[in-house]
Amino acid sequence: MTVEIADLVIVGSGPTGMAAACEARSLGLSVLMLDEQAAVGGQIYRGIEVASLPRTNILGDDYAAGRELAANFRVSGATHLGGAVVWNLSSDGTVDYVINGKSRKVTGRFVLIATGAMERPFPIDGWTLPGVMGAGAAQILLKSAGAIPTGSVVLAGCGPLLYLLAWQYFRAGIEIRAFVDTTSPSAYLRATRHIGGALRGWRDLVKGLKLRTALRQSGAAWYTGCSNFSVQGNGRAEGLAFSHRGCAVRIPASLVLLHQGVVPNTQLSWSIGAAHRWSPEQLCWEPVTDAWGRIGEAVIYVAGDSRAIVGARASAIQGRLTALEIGKQLGVASDIERRLAVLQRELRQHLHIRSFLDVLYRPLDEFRIPGRDDVIVCRCEEVTAGQIREYVELGCLGPNQTKAFGRCGMGLCQGRFCGLTVTEIISSARGVGPADIGYYRVRPPIKPVLLSELME
Amino acid sequence: MTTNALFSIPESSGHDMVTIAFEGRNLTVPAGISVAAALLSNGVSDFRSSVVGQAPRAPYCMMGACFECLVEINEFPARQSCLISVQDGMRVRRQLGASAINIKDEL
């Protein structure tokens, strides 16, 4: 098998990856970008190159901002491979990926993990029923296919993406049956302590307030401070039941869209054995890196939301910073310190709002750590919260052991949709912090590979 | 189970269209969309049955992470339909339970 070599191999074509590629190309580096999706954009700018004008108008200015980045990427001279599924990464920069039914290998002098974020698991009763999706998933359908809900739709949870989707649906003329908000009433008070940062990031704050005002005026039924969620239905979602101010409410719906923020997609960084830290603010794992995103002594960097949740614009700047730093390592960049300093100032502008958002939209314990024993946690192997707590009573100490107890985390998603929940359930049951409970040991192949794909 | 579609694609007029077959039923859909989007907008409300409990499942994440959208495509089992674009003449079936290892030989 011939092994290609590139100065920089980038995994993921969202804002981080595209911006890093543009910067690296401006330094004269050879760049190969691998991406699972057919076209560039990642999830935030999904479909950016083909979205019609009406669709772009519905999605809004922040989405449309991706066009310029995608256009710059296309003329940058970077090689883009769409439909390329990375299944292995080694610390020496070797990447194995499947494209067109064949496995290929490329070695990067440096590799940038730019795999972005995924929606945080929202384990509640009935969340495995057809008709229950992440709000981000529904937004991807809108961005990539112009697909909109046809029947009764309920949005439930909290976080900027949920409000944004509601606003986009409103603009598309879709009636939202109910908006079931889980933002804790006391979180508003706690968040005011971070108002200084939010005011420095006033543009983001104003945008958020405008969004909420528009939604309030849209006339959708709005329930705040809700709890005890249960998706009801026989074989498919038929409604969402919850408690609201001491009353039981049931909203009929064929589509229930759940969301409680996004977390870094850390599958690749775990798979190379990188150390990760538990973020008590964002309630997720983040790879341990130096200030530029480098993982230990490896030739591997991570930037954007796959390092820690920072949002699209900050991710793009981090991508550029990382590319400059790699250029410095390769000895090709001139006046690099000045360029790094400029970008770092710009980056700080986009991070002011973050602690305010983290506090305001911190997902409540009951939506991360199911109290009911019958709630499915591992969707693939159908392991419940109660079963995991039983494992702990039998002496199970951490996520890896749950595999031996009941195949938890051993299905095709390889723990992506149960890992955080399992760590926190065990943490809660044992009275030990998540940092000491740890996570699954993630091993390659991180995506399923067919034997025929490995054959020459 | 096929029911009223959860999603529709109102702006599909004027697009290039392709035809795929879902369990023998022809679906004409806009070129370039994912197989998952094509099925969701044509009344397919469950894509697979779960491996342990044989419960119906459908796409949850639409970005290649949850593996709930698995289907058989052109007799290849357990394909992530949210990551694969529709192609004219594609044959799609539900993924029932775990994938058979020798499925190609059986057909």
Side-chain angles (χ1 to χ4, degrees):
Chain A
M1 186 187 285
T2 51
V3 181
E4 299 167 85
I5 295 176
D7 291 327
L8 176 60
V9 174
I10 300 173
V11 184
S13 72
T16 310
M18 289 193 291
C22 291
E23 198 70 36
R25 285 297 303 140
S26 78
L27 301 173
L29 306 184
S30 58
V31 176
L32 176 69
M33 178 186 281
L34 304 171
D35 190 46
E36 280 188 337
Q37 306 298 333
V40 299
Q43 305 311 328
I44 194 87
Y45 302 137
R46 187 82 178 259
I48 192 71
E49 294 175 307
V50 295
S52 64
L53 191 61
R55 196 192 298 174
T56 307
N57 285 340
I58 286 169
L59 290 165
D61 291 343
D62 282 349
Y63 176 75
R67 274 183 178 162
E68 191 185 349
L69 186 53
N72 289 342
F73 171 77
R74 287 296 186 188
V75 298
S76 69
T79 305
H80 168 255
L81 293 181
V85 178
V86 171
W87 60 269
N88 182 43
L89 171 62
S90 306
S91 298
D92 65 358
T94 304
V95 185
D96 294 283
Y97 62 98
V98 169
I99 189 164
N100 297 328
K102 287 291 162 206
S103 190
R104 302 268 177 255
K105 202 185 271 290
V106 60
T107 299
R109 293 197 169 85
F110 289 94
V111 175
L112 173 60
I113 299 174
T115 50
M118 54 174 270
E119 290 186 274
R120 176 190 296 280
F122 202 138
I124 54 170
D125 177 42
W127 76 307
T128 54
L129 287 170
V132 183
M133 305 177 90
Q139 195 184 45
I140 288 169
L141 278 163
L142 177 58
K143 290 172 179 171
S144 62
I148 55 172
T150 49
S152 183
V153 55
V154 169
L155 271 60
C158 66
L161 190 152
L162 195 65
Y163 295 110
L164 180 59
L165 180 68
W167 178 80
Q168 289 164 338
Y169 276 178
F170 175 56
R171 285 165 69 90
I174 296 154
E175 190 188 333
I176 294 166
R177 185 67 186 260
F179 193 101
V180 185
D181 196 331
T182 60
T183 311
S184 155
S186 62
Y188 290 96
L189 200 62
R190 281 196 299 276
T192 55
R193 284 183 213 145
H194 301 271
I195 197 72
L199 289 174
R200 276 199 297 280
W202 62 272
R203 284 185 189 84
D204 297 300
L205 194 63
V206 168
K207 214 175 339 179
L209 289 171
K210 272 188 184 162
L211 213 65
R212 290 188 58 128
T213 308
L215 290 177
R216 288 281 186 185
Q217 290 165 352
S218 74
W222 196 305
Y223 299 86
T224 54
C226 304
S227 61
N228 292 327
F229 279 23
S230 173
V231 181
Q232 300 182 327
N234 185 13
R236 63 188 173 88
E238 291 165 18
L240 179 69
F242 55 92
S243 307
H244 177 245
R245 294 180 186 158
C247 295
V249 180
R250 185 183 182 279
I251 311 278
S254 55
L255 186 63
V256 178
L257 301 178
L258 301 174
H259 182 77
Q260 50 177 352
V262 296
V263 294
N265 181 358
T266 49
Q267 212 72 4
L268 266 180
S269 50
W270 281 113
S271 79
I272 59 163
H276 287 65
R277 68 177 278 271
W278 176 261
S279 163
E281 295 82 24
Q282 299 196 337
L283 302 165
C284 59
W285 298 103
E286 296 168 351
V288 175
T289 69
D290 71 9
W292 309 105
R294 186 170 191 163
I295 292 175
E297 297 299 306
V299 295
I300 295 168
Y301 285 75
V302 53
D305 278 352
S306 47
R307 192 198 301 174
I309 301 303
V310 290
R313 286 171 304 165
S315 290
I317 298 168
Q318 277 189 359
R320 294 175 63 194
L321 280 166
T322 304
L324 281 174
E325 174 63 17
I326 288 169
K328 194 164 110 183
Q329 300 284 328
L330 290 170
V332 295
S334 59
D335 76 333
I336 197 136
E337 299 302 337
R338 187 191 60 80
R339 292 164 74 176
L340 287 171
V342 169
L343 282 175
Q344 278 185 311
R345 261 199 307 280
E346 208 182 317
L347 179 62
R348 277 195 293 274
Q349 288 300 317
H350 293 297
L351 297 180
H352 287 315
I353 192 85
R354 203 41 56 184
S355 57
F356 176 79
L357 293 178
D358 287 346
V359 172
L360 184 58
Y361 297 125
R362 182 187 173 90
L364 296 177
D365 288 359
E366 73 160 281
F367 299 117
R368 307 190 327 272
I369 307 166
R372 280 178 58 168
D373 279 343
D374 59 347
V375 171
I376 288 179
V377 170
C378 167
R379 299 172 61 106
C380 300
E381 295 293 331
E382 293 162 81
V383 180
T384 64
Q387 284 174 296
I388 294 163
R389 283 189 275 263
E390 276 170 28
Y391 304 159
V392 172
E393 276 179 32
L394 292 169
C396 174
L397 297 172
N400 273 319
Q401 289 179 336
T402 65
K403 296 180 181 179
F405 275 91
R407 288 194 52 81
C408 188
M410 293 181 75
L412 280 172
C413 98
Q414 295 177 291
R416 287 169 174 89
F417 268 83
C418 66
L420 284 173
T421 315
V422 170
T423 291
E424 289 212 272
I425 287 176
I426 298 174
S427 166
S428 162
R430 289 187 53 208
V432 175
D436 293 318
I437 296 296
Y439 192 69
Y440 293 129
R441 191 162 301 121
V442 178
R443 294 186 182 86
I446 67 154
K447 281 278 182 149
V449 185
L450 296 172
L451 287 175
S452 63
E453 292 168 337
L454 293 174
M455 290 189 293
E456 286 284 325
Chain B
M1 186 167 50
T2 305
T3 55
N4 291 336
L6 286 173
F7 289 87
S8 67
I9 303 179
E11 53 172 285
S12 51
S13 60
H15 275 74
D16 292 338
M17 305 294 277
V18 299
T19 300
I20 65 170
F22 177 73
E23 301 192 339
R25 181 162 68 102
N26 280 344
L27 312 176
T28 301
V29 298
I33 68 172
S34 66
V35 173
L39 299 186
L40 285 171
S41 57
N42 277 280
V44 179
S45 65
D46 70 80
F47 282 48
R48 70 177 191 109
S49 59
S50 64
V51 172
V52 180
Q54 281 78 49
R57 294 287 176 87
Y60 185 85
C61 80
M62 286 304 290
M63 53 170 277
C66 75
F67 290 78
E68 295 287 17
C69 67
L70 298 183
V71 292
E72 271 178 43
I73 296 180
N74 296 340
E75 287 78 45
F76 277 92
R79 303 283 86 192
Q80 290 186 278
S81 63
C82 74
L83 291 180
I84 297 172
S85 301
V86 289
Q87 304 288 337
D88 209 33
M90 203 175 232
R91 298 177 306 282
V92 183
R93 302 189 69 81
R94 285 180 178 80
Q95 175 67 47
L96 300 176
S99 56
I101 289 168
N102 56 346
I103 188 158
K104 284 291 274 185
D105 301 332
E106 286 172 4
L107 290 161

